[in-house]
Amino acid sequence: MIERVRGLLRMAEDPSVTDAESQAFTAKAAELMTRHAIVEAEARAQRGEAAEDVTRLDFPVSGVGGHGKARVKALAAIASAYGCQSAVRGNSSANTDRMLIIVGTVTALDSLRVLLPSITMQMEASARFTAREHVTGLRELRNYERSTLASERSRFYRSFIRAYGSAVAERIREFRARLAADEPEQSGTDTTADPTSTTGAKSGAELVLREDVDRVQEDFERRFPQLRPTRPERTHHRAGYRAGYIRGRRAELGMETAVSRGTSNSLVDGD
């Protein structure tokens, strides 16, 4: 399964494929890993085995161009869609790298370890291309000063990245919810025996996901008992955000559902 995922990501990163094809390959990889993780978790539960460990992944995030905060926001949203919690060290406005600390189950972090580098590369390539097109269009309209165009590009770029991450996270979250809702009851018990039961009719996948989220939350709070929320991003470019969101939702993936907006749980370590 991992080799299939890596093969899909290699195709997604191929410069000869279209943007829509690249996103389709990436989303299929995310779908495979999500489905595999849920099936494995259900199997462990049916065998009476303990739930898998909760641990952490330290993922470096580039600050090049002063866009580090936007990148952290995008990647933290994707981690949240996998049921993880995240904190970040060194999240300043400088061009320096920072560290995104992601807490989650072993399987979820394995998925993110494979997917995040590829998603980051695609997100940056798409942001560069779209921001360049936007600035070129402005330059043709009137004679803007170079500093004005540079500022416009920066605002567009940051908003694009945040929206791209948010859109990718929505799609992952929607697929996980659909997978949980569609998964048939595996226990073989009569779910109509107790009409007062609120869990009997729930699928095994839904219960596994809910339990994992609770365990990750508890572990995260133990690791980071004192955190302060990130400050809201002051830079917002409507056209950039819209372009990033469209790019993040564009490809036909076979898992289309109504958009359900969610928020990431990105926090700043106060140490």
Side-chain angles (χ1 to χ4, degrees):
M1 189 275 298
I2 292 294
E3 286 307 312
R4 288 180 64 194
V5 167
R6 287 174 175 162
L8 286 166
L9 294 179
R10 282 194 293 270
M11 290 188 286
E13 296 165 9
D14 188 333
S16 67
V17 303
T18 67
D19 186 64
E21 289 170 337
S22 177
Q23 291 182 53
F25 287 136
T26 303
K28 184 61 179 177
E31 177 183 336
L32 282 175
M33 298 197 81
T34 300
R35 188 183 298 275
H36 175 75
I38 292 175
V39 169
E40 286 296 305
E42 287 189 277
R44 282 194 301 272
Q46 290 170 12
R47 293 193 298 264
E49 299 175 1
E52 64 178 343
D53 292 338
V54 174
T55 183
R56 64 182 270 181
L57 166 66
D58 290 0
F59 189 80
V61 179
S62 171
V64 170
H67 307 317
K69 285 187 175 182
R71 294 182 181 107
V72 162
K73 187 74 172 177
L75 298 178
I78 294 170
S80 177
Y82 270 94
C84 300
Q85 299 276 343
S86 57
V88 59
R89 293 186 189 275
N91 199 29
S92 68
S93 58
N95 295 347
T96 56
D97 293 350
R98 67 255 7 243
M99 188 65 69
L100 183 63
I101 304 167
I102 306 172
V103 176
T105 62
V106 171
T107 302
L109 295 186
D110 284 346
S111 298
L112 292 172
R113 190 176 287 108
V114 174
L115 290 170
L116 286 185
S118 181
I119 291 175
T120 298
M121 189 181 74
Q122 295 174 62
M123 177 176 67
E124 295 289 343
S126 190
R128 284 194 299 270
F129 175 78
T130 311
R132 184 167 57 247
E133 280 193 330
H134 175 70
V135 170
T136 299
L138 289 179
R139 188 182 293 116
E140 292 174 351
L141 288 175
R142 56 178 294 185
N143 187 26
Y144 284 98
E145 293 182 359
R146 181 175 298 180
S147 61
T148 300
L149 290 175
S151 176
E152 178 71 11
R153 181 189 181 281
S154 181
R155 292 174 56 243
F156 185 99
Y157 198 104
R158 292 175 189 174
S159 294
F160 183 102
I161 287 177
R162 291 201 311 274
Y164 190 102
S166 177
V168 170
E170 278 184 356
R171 297 169 76 179
I172 294 171
R173 190 176 291 110
E174 288 164 11
F175 177 69
R176 282 166 62 92
R178 196 186 75 180
L179 201 62
D182 292 348
E183 189 76 18
E185 181 66 37
Q186 300 292 328
S187 64
T189 58
D190 183 2
T191 59
T192 62
D194 182 5
T196 64
S197 174
T198 59
T199 60
K202 300 296 184 183
S203 72
E206 186 175 359
L207 294 176
V208 166
L209 289 175
R210 183 182 301 170
E211 291 170 0
D212 282 351
V213 167
D214 291 341
R215 293 192 304 113
V216 169
Q217 178 69 36
E218 293 174 1
D219 189 277
F220 183 82
E221 291 175 353
R222 283 197 299 269
R223 293 173 185 267
F224 304 102
Q226 294 182 336
L227 292 174
R228 58 184 178 85
T230 56
R231 295 178 181 177
E233 180 71 45
R234 291 178 296 176
T235 301
H236 182 73
H237 193 290
R238 183 177 298 178
Y241 196 92
R242 184 173 184 274
Y245 186 84
I246 291 172
R247 288 290 179 115
R249 299 282 314 190
R250 174 178 289 177
E252 295 294 330
L253 307 173
M255 54 180 179
E256 292 72 25
T257 58
V259 173
S260 58
R261 297 189 180 277
T263 57
S264 68
N265 220 341
S266 175
L267 299 171
V268 173
D269 188 353
D271 292 345

